[in-house]
Amino acid sequence: DPSSTRLREGDALAAVLPGSTRDRLGVFSSKGTVYVLRVADVPATTGYGEPVQSLLKFGDGERVVVARLLREPDKAAAAGSNDPQPALPGIVELTEEVLTVLVATAGGYGFRATPDLTETTRAGRKIARVGDGDEIVSVDAVSGPVAIVATARGKMVRFAVDEVPELAGPGRGVILMKPDAKEDDRIVGALALGKKDEFIAVTSEGNERKIGVGEVPLGKRAQKGQKVVKRGGVAAIKRVEAEQ
């Protein structure tokens, strides 16, 4: 029960991932590295937990951006069992289909990639090269043909995800969207969704607003976008989780 755990002052929950010790934990960092470890190797506690740096070899200023549980195909379901492991939010099913992700940085760069999600050492595995003063802000599965990119000032742009190249190795990618330097703006996230999907914009006050993909102005990659959220700004964008 997450409510029974304790948090240090100034800390906050970033993810609650229901799963089992048979799963693996994938952690994508702001420096463009993915770390994969067994859930069984994560300490079980109702206390403060262990610093991620004691489990993984993080560099100075490196932080967790995305955490997902990685699950192998359910053998019970394949065998016709009536009690397979449930599909839950935050779970990435490692089926025979490859998992392609859309990576975005605060400075507006991004690319598509199919990361190797096998278990890593404590040093992790590099999937992106980040420029000086920049950082990864989102890594999200590609589930549709439309890319949505958003900035902290509430600007957004919509374009075809095919405009974003897929890199075979660690790289910086191309410009997804140009944040306005005069407004001290920055990218907060990028999603690849279906044409009729909805997503959620989280404001800086923590409020959530559901937005249809079609509500975002259509443009092209590397544009500055237009205001969609006019009050409160945007702290993050996230997909709408399917109800279980």
Side-chain angles (χ1 to χ4, degrees), residues 21 39 118 137 143 157 170:
T21 52
V39 168
T118 57
V137 293
S143 61
V157 67

Side-chain angles (χ1 to χ4, degrees), residues 145-146 193-199 211-214:
V146 182
L193 304 170
K195 295 179 180 179
K196 296 183 179 180
D197 286 349
E198 294 180 314
F199 64 96
I211 301 173
V213 165

Side-chain angles (χ1 to χ4, degrees), residues 4-242:
S4 67
T5 61
R6 292 178 291 169
L7 293 174
R8 296 188 184 279
E9 185 177 353
D11 202 359
L13 283 177
V16 177
L17 307 172
S20 78
T21 52
R22 289 178 291 173
D23 299 326
R24 297 196 300 273
L25 174 64
V27 175
F28 295 87
S29 85
S30 57
K31 299 292 187 182
T33 301
V34 60
Y35 304 84
V36 182
L37 68 160
R38 298 185 307 161
V39 168
D41 292 334
V42 178
T45 177
T46 57
Y48 294 123
E50 294 293 328
V52 69
Q53 292 87 347
S54 69
L55 301 174
L56 307 170
K57 194 174 180 181
F58 270 38
D60 292 341
E62 191 169 8
R63 63 183 181 83
V64 175
V65 173
V66 176
R68 288 288 183 269
L69 288 187
L70 310 173
R71 175 168 293 168
E72 296 295 342
D74 193 340
K75 295 179 181 178
S81 169
N82 292 325
D83 188 28
Q85 292 189 71
L88 295 165
I91 295 284
V92 175
E93 298 279 0
L94 298 178
T95 62
E96 292 181 358
E97 296 180 4
V98 296
L99 174 69
T100 301
V101 296
L102 177 62
V103 180
T105 77
Y109 284 85
F111 58 88
R112 288 181 291 159
T114 304
D116 178 357
L117 295 176
T118 57
E119 194 170 337
T120 69
T121 65
R122 291 182 65 245
R125 182 179 297 118
K126 202 75 172 173
I127 65 166
R129 301 196 184 283
V130 184
D132 292 340
D134 203 359
E135 64 175 357
I136 302 294
V137 293
S138 72
V139 180
D140 195 77
V142 173
S143 61
V146 182
I148 301 290
V149 188
T151 77
R153 297 286 185 179
K155 290 183 178 180
M156 299 184 188
V157 67
R158 166 173 56 110
F159 56 87
V161 75
D162 286 344
E163 294 184 35
V164 183
E166 181 168 353
L167 304 186
R172 192 178 184 187
V174 296
I175 298 176
L176 300 180
M177 182 178 179
K178 292 181 179 178
D180 195 331
K182 295 180 180 178
E183 296 182 351
D184 195 26
D185 207 0
R186 69 195 300 268
I187 303 300
V188 295
L191 303 172
L193 304 170
K195 295 179 180 179
K196 296 183 179 180
D197 286 349
E198 294 180 314
F199 64 96
I200 294 171
V202 183
T203 69
S204 51
E205 290 81 21
N207 299 319
E208 296 187 350
R209 173 183 164 186
K210 190 176 287 186
I211 301 173
V213 165
E215 297 178 54
V216 178
L218 178 63
K220 292 185 178 181
R221 181 182 64 76
Q223 292 182 336
K224 290 186 176 181
Q226 299 179 38
K227 275 272 192 181
V228 174
V229 177
K230 297 184 172 133
R231 292 184 180 179
V234 178
I237 57 173
K238 61 182 183 179
R239 58 181 59 240
V240 177
E241 297 287 2

